[in-house]
Each structure stands twice: as C-alpha cells, then as structure tokens.
Amino acid sequence: AASSHAPRAEEEEAPVAEAEGLRLHLSSAAGTGYKGVTKLPSGRFLAHRSVGRWRDRKPTIGIFDTALEAAVAYARTVGEYQPPAQPAQPPPTVAEAEGLRLHLSSA
C-alpha cells in the first residue's frame, strides 16, 4: 500500500539566509537553524544573544511566533542591518554652476 506524506502544520520551513534587508545568522548547531533562536515548549521562539566574557549571559531579545521572526530580531540586535538596495540613480546630464549650463559626460 502506498502512503503519502503531507507536511504537518507544525513543521518549520528551512532557514533562510536573508530577510527584511538583514543577513541572518545561520547555525547548523542550533535546532532552529538560526544562531540565538531557541524553540520553546509552547511552540514559540525565543531570541537571545550571548554576552559577557564567557558568553555565559543570555539576555532575551523577545519571544516570537516563528523562528524567522526571532532570527530577524536577533540580526537587528547584533547589528547586521543592511538597508535594502536602492535603485541606481542615473547622473544628471545637465547641471548649472555660476549661471552656466553644464553638459555632463561619463566618457
């Protein structure tokens, strides 16, 4: 008899490297796949960072519904913010200086 396996609702999605303009901290050692993110018995996710000389203190950043939300909060807290790329603005072809109209060239 053939059996089909449907994904269960509680299965987590695979970790992603970037979200919301942030580089996330992936960790193969963490059960969630993200550094600083722990799954709680309630099914929610705790974001925390290790501090102190021996990294023995773990202040809480917050508790989140998903591992991804917790990973984003961790990345923001440890300073990995990278603003989204802005589209390149073409340089102006005409500028004015000292009452003269200048024609700019990229060559």
Side-chain angles (χ1 to χ4, degrees):
S3 67
S4 77
H5 173 71
R8 297 181 318 209
E10 64 269 12
E11 288 180 4
E12 288 298 313
E13 293 184 22
V16 296
E18 293 186 14
E20 296 183 26
L22 298 165
R23 182 175 37 242
L24 304 182
H25 298 256
L26 301 179
S27 171
S28 59
T32 61
Y34 298 107
K35 181 177 179 181
V37 177
T38 304
K39 188 169 186 178
L40 299 172
S42 66
R44 297 186 77 200
F45 295 86
L46 170 72
H48 58 86
R49 63 184 294 191
S50 298
V51 295
R53 183 174 179 184
W54 307 109
R55 299 239 181 259
D56 53 347
R57 292 185 327 138
K58 299 190 183 310
T60 297
I61 297 166
I63 298 174
F64 302 89
D65 291 329
T66 68
L68 180 59
E69 289 172 327
V72 167
Y74 176 88
R76 268 199 188 99
T77 300
V78 299
E80 289 295 318
Y81 180 71
Q82 299 173 351
Q86 297 295 321
Q89 296 291 329
T93 56
V94 177
E96 290 189 28
E98 298 181 18
L100 300 172
R101 189 173 176 150
L102 306 176
H103 296 270
L104 306 176
S105 170
S106 61

